[in-house]
């Protein structure tokens, strides 16, 4: 019998869009590569990235990441022109792109980034097809979260 070696996690998170799970119902997730410039990779290693206000658009058979902010480092050379909010191309298979186009063409679906991470030496982004939540759906999530906190307090109080 061959035993598998226990190894580190398959990925290391760089930036998360925590607000996405609160704002959307997540239907399906995809993993995509990101086309980056050299200074952007250095920024990723420093962790100066924000994807919370970003979104993904699909046009001409390709997917693009809009609104992600990559802050240039202070030690970066001055001869390079930095665009912190530039559009970045996402690298997906044709089958995955077709699937995304099918979902987006349905009413109410959108594509949202969830997580930017390192997978081995490659930068990947986890994107999802999602549908927006209404106000009452968000209230239900808040009530569930509060109940879990109260339940933990009650159990802790009883066990003492």
């Amino acid at each position: 019998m061959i035993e598998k070696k226990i190894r580190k996690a398959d990925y290391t998170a760089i930036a998360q869009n925590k607000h996405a799970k609160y704002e959307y119902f997540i239907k399906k997730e995809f993993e995509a590569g990101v086309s980056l410039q050299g200074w952007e990779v250095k920024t990723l290693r420093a962790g100066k990235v924000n994807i919370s206000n970003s979104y993904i658009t699909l046009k001409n058979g390709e997917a693009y990441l809009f609104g992600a902010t990559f802050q240039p480092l202070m030690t970066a050379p001055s001869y390079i022109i930095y665009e912190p909010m530039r559009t970045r191309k996402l690298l997906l298979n044709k089958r995955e792109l077709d699937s995304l186009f099918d979902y987006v063409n349905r009413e109410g679906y959108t594509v949202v980034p969830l997580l930017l991470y390192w997978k081995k030496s490659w930068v990947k982004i986890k994107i999802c097809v999602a549908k927006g939540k209404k106000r009452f759906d968000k209230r239900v999530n808040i009530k569930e979260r509060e109940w879990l906190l109260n339940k933990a307090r009650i159990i802790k109080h009883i066990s003492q």
Side-chain angles (χ1 to χ4, degrees):
M1 178 181 233
I2 300 173
E3 292 183 27
K4 277 190 169 181
K5 291 183 181 179
I6 299 173
R7 58 183 183 173
K8 288 185 183 179
D10 290 339
Y11 68 91
T12 305
I14 300 169
Q16 268 187 322
N17 188 357
K18 294 180 182 179
H19 213 57
K21 291 187 180 179
Y22 177 74
E23 294 287 331
Y24 300 99
F25 290 114
I26 295 172
K27 177 77 172 175
K28 191 172 181 181
E29 294 181 354
F30 295 91
E31 180 183 72
V34 185
S35 180
L36 298 171
Q37 295 177 351
W39 69 271
E40 292 171 334
V41 176
K42 291 179 182 180
T43 299
L44 285 173
R45 293 199 187 279
K48 301 200 179 256
V49 182
N50 184 7
I51 62 167
S52 62
N53 296 326
S54 60
Y55 59 96
I56 294 164
T57 59
L58 305 169
K59 61 181 175 182
N60 299 332
E62 295 177 341
Y64 296 95
L65 176 66
F66 280 102
T69 307
F70 287 62
Q71 292 299 323
L73 300 175
M74 298 300 291
T75 59
S78 61
Y79 61 86
I80 297 174
I81 299 171
Y82 302 105
E83 293 180 56
M85 298 278 288
R86 88 173 174 87
T87 304
R88 292 158 184 91
K89 184 177 175 182
L90 298 181
L91 308 171
L92 291 159
N93 293 335
K94 181 71 174 166
R95 185 181 67 244
E96 293 171 336
L97 283 169
D98 290 340
S99 177
L100 285 175
F101 275 105
D102 290 343
Y103 277 113
V104 170
N105 288 334
R106 296 181 194 172
E107 188 175 328
Y109 283 100
T110 185
V111 184
V112 180
L114 291 178
L115 178 69
L116 190 65
Y117 59 95
W118 293 103
K119 186 173 183 179
K120 298 185 181 176
S121 62
W122 301 100
V123 176
K124 301 287 184 175
I125 187 165
K126 186 184 286 188
I127 59 176
C128 69
V129 176
K131 192 166 191 170
K133 287 184 180 179
K134 305 286 186 210
R135 180 182 254 171
F136 60 86
D137 293 326
K138 295 176 187 176
R139 288 182 189 155
V140 169
N141 283 354
I142 292 170
K143 286 181 183 178
E144 288 175 6
R145 197 173 12 179
E146 287 177 355
W147 166 242
L148 290 174
L149 287 171
N150 288 334
K151 186 171 70 171
R153 286 184 192 127
I154 291 168
I155 291 172
K156 184 179 177 183
H157 183 66
I158 291 172
S159 66
Q160 288 181 350

